[in-house]
Amino acid sequence: MDKILRIDMGAAGGPSMKEEPVGAYAGLGGRAMTSAIVSKEVPPLCHPLGAENKLVFAPGLLSGSAAVISGRLSVGCKSPLTGTIKEANSGGQAAIAISRYGYAAIVLEGKPATNDLYVIHFGKDGVKIKSDKSLKMLPNYDLVDKMKAAYGEKIACISIGPAGEMRMGAASIAVTDMETRPSRHAGRGGVGAVMGSKGVKAIVLDMTDLKMRQPKDVEKFREANKKFTEGLKSHPVTGQALPAYGTNVLTNILNEAGGYPTKNFSGGVFDGSAKISGETIADLETKRGGLATHGCHTGCVIQCSGTYVDKNGKFVSKQPEYETVWAHGGHCGISDPDVIAKLDFMDDNYGLDTIEMGVTIGVAMEAGIIKFGDAEGAIRLVDEVGKGTPLGRILGSGAEVTGKAFGVERVPVVKGQAMPAYDPRAVQGIGVTYATSTMGADHTAGYAVATNILKVGGFVDPLKPDGQIELSRNLQIATAAVDSTGMCLFIAFAVLDQPETFQALIDMLNAFYGLSLTADDVAALGKQVLSMERDFNARAGFTAKHDRLPRYFLNEKLAPHNVIFDVKDSDLDQVFNW
Amino acid sequence: MHSTGKTVQVEAGSPPSFRIAVDSGLLPEFYILFQKGILIDVAPGTSVGEFLEDGLGLDPDYIRTRISTIFLDGMPVDDVRSARLADGAVLALSAAMPGLVGATLRKGGILSPMRSAISYRDHESAGGPTVGRVRLKLFNMIMKEAGPGLLSKGIIVPLSEARAVLNTLPADAVYREDMKAWPAADTLIELVIEPLDGRAG
């Protein structure tokens, strides 16, 4: 991964390519790479859909190697949804493919002068770009079928659906999984709209005979990888709960805690939670002949995903994640798993962020466009988005725009991005992360943690909010670091409890690259990434007043605990004071 | 036993006992009852720790290492020795959970300050009945691991919920004709499910 491929989509005479050494970006991967390029090369005041914005695809430092669970892809740009810097993260096969072609990053630049739609193909004969009008407005599943017919079955495909072509704020970028289904998504922040603005419909990477990347120290790497794998498999979260039930194992838990945002964040408990819990859906999938345990990319040993089938055993969608089940389920008052799976498929097919879409529909319900619990109505609204009707255009622009268009006060967004599936009044620490994250309301930005990074020891008082600011800060630092490795963030749980598992990750990095990194170096990388992102956002015009939750979270009590978000602004402003 | 399924044996009592043996492979069909919650008699003021060990018969090591997330009336519990059950309480048990928030809710976890607003707080109980009943919910791995043992000892559930689950079993597992004679009123029953083959499922 010693080169960067730059593709100027607006070059005179048609798209042109340039390969160059990584240069100043050496040693960076994943989110560190995307944020470094965007913060250095994209004018923060540019229009996100204009020629000055760049769309960066970066595999992680260990992607394409034998390191387990290292296949995550980072996609970075200035976000058309938030106006901030953005890194959206996806599973699937693309990071493995890009890294094995030797690229640390693929950067789409410029903007075509025409409305042509392009496919960028990576194969044994090099990289070729061609326009193909027949792909216009194809949903992702149909598009991928066409790409398989044209280029063979052994491909990884990065694509946008109609939503990205229409440059909607909720548009995602799809990445194909091991079954070559466009079921994994770089969802957040409208990255699909940026890809659409560059005129790129699909990036197709032929994976035939691609060679695994080799470490500098084969033995040490193998040993560290083995320890890392053992740590993941022995941990109850990564070794049992996630493979058995997926992320949706959280539905019962958040509901019990009274922190499950229900009917547009108006309550913390949903009556229908048992019908859509991870336990119930895993059982349903298994009975119907689907899969409750499935990996999204080669080398995943957690296998938190699955396949959801209908009562006749026919494929409907990948197993919906917790965030999707919540957004289209409890948030909208819907408790039918078949409906939720259908909505998940529609989002994947049209190329939409399931969180943004689900929250938007909840806001639409609050506006009275349809009623809470109207499953058929929700399906109809997502269809309108995919077809680009006037109402669909509003909804596809996200929750904030929808709230403004229909005069809704209670719109759960930060920096324009919809809140995920945890009410910040019940778990105030996640509220600190929502408010202060460089990405807008984001549940994964402050995710990963290792005890030696946290440097939190001894007794903590669970009844006192003290330390929440420090916790959020350290979590965001550690997450930024893990995002740079290409590792799935779910390693965090094993890493939190088992310092030897975190050490194994560092040992893998060292053995692969011939380095001598310590945990402090990893923390320093995380801080560096966050500093770059904060700097970009500041130059884009963001100030402390944007690091806040919507006011009604400070005033409106959340049942059943009757709590508000009461972390002081002055404390929020301390999160990044290093 | 009828050729179309085993009969549910009904014994008078307070509550009446409904007993059936099923193939261990069918035990998971009953787990939905644990998600909604079963009722268990308890002496009010019993600590959560005592209830788990003495009331449910769970191993102390299992409680300490496996039941990583506990809610009492929706509040995350950090100390099972001091958290006490009142009549009408709702107790939920779970294994360690994923996600930042999952880790935050963990019993005694270092991220616990992030949910201080809803954490369980010890309080003096004001007296009350000497016999009480709590709702016990089991989720994810705990549901699978502790569920079969509780099913074979007997769980208290509304008759309607028991009926709903029994109706989903294969026809050769339960004789449904007798179920038509069960009262329509939704009384509480003790449901006892024993594995036919002696395995826990």
Side-chain angles (χ1 to χ4, degrees):
Chain A
M1 282 197 336
D2 55 0
K3 50 192 183 182
I4 291 175
L5 181 68
R6 292 182 184 270
I7 305 176
D8 182 355
M9 297 304 298
S16 71
M17 291 184 285
K18 184 174 65 173
E19 218 176 70
E20 58 188 38
V22 288
Y25 299 116
L28 301 178
R31 180 175 167 184
M33 176 65 82
T34 63
S35 289
I37 292 177
V38 172
S39 67
K40 189 170 172 196
E41 300 181 18
V42 174
L45 296 174
C46 76
H47 195 292
L49 302 178
E52 292 176 297
N53 199 4
K54 300 193 183 192
L55 188 65
V56 186
F57 298 89
L61 292 169
L62 292 173
S63 296
S65 74
V68 294
I69 202 160
S70 61
R72 304 290 298 189
L73 178 72
S74 290
V75 181
C77 59
K78 176 174 175 174
S79 162
L81 185 73
T82 63
T84 63
I85 196 166
K86 173 59 60 182
E87 182 259 1
N89 196 281
S90 176
Q93 298 287 79
I96 296 170
I98 293 172
S99 60
R100 289 182 184 174
Y101 273 99
Y103 295 111
I106 298 170
V107 186
L108 301 183
E109 304 175 330
K111 181 173 174 166
T114 65
N115 288 330
D116 288 326
L117 264 187
Y118 290 90
V119 174
I120 303 171
H121 177 254
F122 290 69
K124 61 179 182 348
D125 296 330
V127 184
K128 295 189 173 27
I129 305 175
K130 69 172 202 179
S131 73
D132 187 346
K133 286 189 172 58
S134 75
L135 305 179
K136 194 166 173 54
M137 294 297 277
L138 275 187
N140 279 312
Y141 273 82
D142 292 343
L143 169 73
V144 169
D145 282 344
K146 278 199 101 167
M147 296 298 100
K148 285 196 287 189
Y151 300 109
E153 294 284 329
K154 280 192 177 173
I155 57 170
C157 188
I158 301 170
S159 65
I160 54 172
E165 288 185 58
M166 290 187 278
R167 300 167 203 194
M168 292 177 169
S172 65
I173 291 177
V175 180
T176 48
D177 60 18
M178 288 194 284
E179 286 77 29
T180 328
R181 291 182 181 132
S183 68
R184 317 315 307 187
H185 286 249
R188 310 240 59 202
V191 294
V194 179
M195 189 159 162
S197 73
K198 303 288 176 207
V200 177
K201 179 71 173 171
I203 300 173
V204 181
L205 302 115
D206 187 343
M207 294 189 76
T208 313
D209 295 332
L210 285 183
K211 298 280 178 281
M212 192 176 279
R213 296 172 65 218
Q214 294 301 320
K216 283 216 154 72
D217 189 327
V218 172
E219 271 318 305
K220 280 200 169 123
F221 181 82
R222 185 178 296 139
E223 186 53 39
N225 197 21
K226 184 164 169 264
K227 269 207 183 104
F228 188 66
T229 306
E230 282 163 0
L232 293 177
K233 287 197 160 165
S234 65
H235 193 275
V237 172
T238 45
Q240 289 165 25
L242 281 174
Y245 301 115
T247 56
N248 195 28
V249 72
L250 283 168
T251 290
N252 275 329
I253 303 304
L254 265 301
N255 200 60
E256 198 61 32
Y260 187 80
T262 299
K263 294 184 183 173
N264 196 31
F265 287 77
S266 60
V269 176
F270 180 51
D271 287 342
S273 60
K275 294 182 189 167
I276 57 174
S277 69
E279 294 90 329
T280 299
I281 289 184
D283 187 49
L284 192 63
E285 285 167 342
T286 307
K287 279 193 180 118
R288 288 177 171 182
L291 288 174
T293 303
H294 176 265
C296 79
H297 66 272
T298 309
C300 174
V301 297
I302 297 180
Q303 311 224 332
C304 72
S305 188
T307 51
Y308 192 98
V309 298
D310 67 16
K311 57 182 194 287
N312 299 316
K314 189 163 162 273
F315 175 81
V316 174
S317 189
K318 88 258 187 205
Q319 176 176 280
E321 303 291 342
Y322 169 61
E323 308 294 335
T324 303
V325 174
W326 162 75
H328 283 307
H331 182 257
C332 294
I334 293 171
S335 59
D336 184 338
D338 286 332
V339 167
I340 293 167
K342 183 178 168 95
L343 287 164
D344 188 32
F345 175 82
M346 291 172 76
D347 288 338
D348 283 355
N349 212 15
Y350 287 139
L352 291 161
D353 174 17
T354 58
I355 297 175
E356 196 70 41
M357 273 324 301
V359 172
T360 298
I361 292 174
V363 171
M365 288 170 166
E366 178 130 342
I369 295 171
I370 58 174
K371 285 187 165 39
F372 280 107
D374 182 355
E376 288 308 311
I379 290 171
R380 200 171 60 246
L381 290 186
V382 174
D383 220 16
E384 294 223 25
V385 175
K387 295 188 164 55
T389 65
L391 175 58
R393 287 271 185 178
I394 292 173
L395 299 170
S397 299
E400 186 171 65
V401 168
T402 299
K404 282 192 176 143
F406 292 99
V408 178
E409 177 202 352
R410 299 176 72 261
V411 180
V413 301
V414 178
K415 300 183 182 79
Q417 181 164 286
M419 276 183 195
Y422 318 87
D423 199 296
R425 290 165 287 190
V427 183
Q428 310 228 338
I430 196 78
V432 173
T433 300
Y434 284 169
T436 62
S437 158
T438 51
M439 302 283 153
D442 190 311
H443 66 293
T444 59
Y447 209 75
V449 64
T451 49
N452 51 352
I453 279 182
L454 276 185
K455 294 183 174 39
V456 173
F459 177 72
V460 288
D461 188 342
L463 302 181
K464 295 211 168 76
D466 303 346
Q468 288 192 86
I469 298 300
E470 289 76 15
L471 283 170
S472 180
R473 175 195 305 133
N474 288 325
L475 288 166
Q476 291 192 52
I477 290 169
T479 302
V482 171
D483 278 340
S484 305
T485 62
M487 289 280 167
C488 175
L489 268 184
F490 292 169
I491 66 167
F493 322 119
V495 154
L496 167 65
D497 290 332
Q498 299 162 180
E500 65 275 15
T501 307
F502 182 64
Q503 187 58 50
L505 171 59
I506 298 176
D507 290 343
M508 268 201 285
L509 284 165
N510 286 337
F512 196 86
Y513 287 99
L515 301 169
S516 309
L517 296 173
T518 64
D520 283 345
D521 293 321
V522 176
L525 174 62
K527 279 187 186 172
Q528 182 190 353
V529 171
L530 285 172
S531 294
M532 286 191 285
E533 293 172 357
R534 293 271 297 173
D535 174 66
F536 180 94
N537 286 353
R539 287 182 288 132
F542 287 85
T543 65
K545 73 173 196 273
H546 296 96
D547 287 346
R548 303 286 181 260
L549 297 188
R551 202 149 175 83
Y552 69 94
F553 285 96
L554 283 60
N555 299 325
E556 192 181 289
K557 290 185 183 175
L558 177 76
H561 297 294
N562 295 325
V563 284
I564 56 171
F565 182 77
D566 60 7
V567 177
K568 296 203 262 310
D569 290 351
S570 54
D571 286 338
L572 292 176
D573 294 340
Q574 298 304 311
V575 171
F576 292 100
N577 66 345
W578 58 70
Chain B
M1 183 176 108
H2 296 265
S3 58
T4 49
K6 288 185 73 70
T7 299
V8 179
Q9 304 293 333
V10 181
E11 293 160 20
S14 180
S17 178
F18 287 58
R19 183 182 293 266
I20 185 170
V22 301
D23 191 278
S24 60
L26 292 176
L27 288 178
E29 301 301 319
F30 294 90
Y31 293 167
I32 186 75
L33 298 171
F34 292 115
Q35 289 190 61
K36 293 179 182 171
I38 62 166
L39 298 171
I40 296 196
D41 291 333
V42 70
T46 303
S47 75
V48 169
E50 284 164 342
F51 173 72
L52 296 179
E53 267 190 64
D54 304 330
L56 300 187
L58 297 174
D59 183 81
D61 211 48
Y62 181 84
I63 296 166
R64 190 176 53 81
T65 60
R66 194 77 172 139
I67 305 178
S68 302
T69 312
I70 299 178
F71 296 98
L72 180 53
D73 295 328
M75 296 176 279
V77 168
D78 293 289
D79 185 352
V80 299
R81 293 161 304 178
S82 59
R84 296 194 177 272
L85 299 171
D87 178 41
V90 179
L91 182 69
L93 309 178
S94 161
M97 284 291 99
L100 169 61
V101 175
T104 300
L105 295 169
R106 203 182 301 181
K107 177 178 58 156
I110 56 175
L111 301 181
S112 58
M114 293 177 84
R115 42 83 170 163
S116 59
I118 61 169
S119 296
Y120 176 82
R121 284 161 167 75
D122 296 341
H123 55 275
E124 290 291 322
S125 59
T130 53
V131 175
R133 194 164 267 175
V134 300
R135 180 175 293 276
L136 173 70
K137 298 182 186 178
L138 304 181
F139 299 137
N140 50 72
M141 316 308 296
I142 310 304
M143 181 179 77
K144 271 192 192 178
E145 290 160 5
L150 288 175
L151 287 171
S152 64
K153 279 188 199 161
I155 59 174
I156 301 174
V157 292
L159 178 56
S160 59
E161 287 184 13
R163 194 198 309 260
V165 175
L166 289 168
N167 275 334
T168 66
L169 299 187
D172 61 354
V174 61
Y175 182 61
R176 289 198 172 83
E177 280 304 305
D178 287 347
M179 287 166 61
K180 292 178 185 171
W182 291 356
D186 203 7
T187 53
L188 290 177
I189 64 162
E190 182 195 48
L191 182 66
V192 182
I193 309 296
E194 288 151 345
L196 259 174
D197 46 12
R199 285 186 289 136

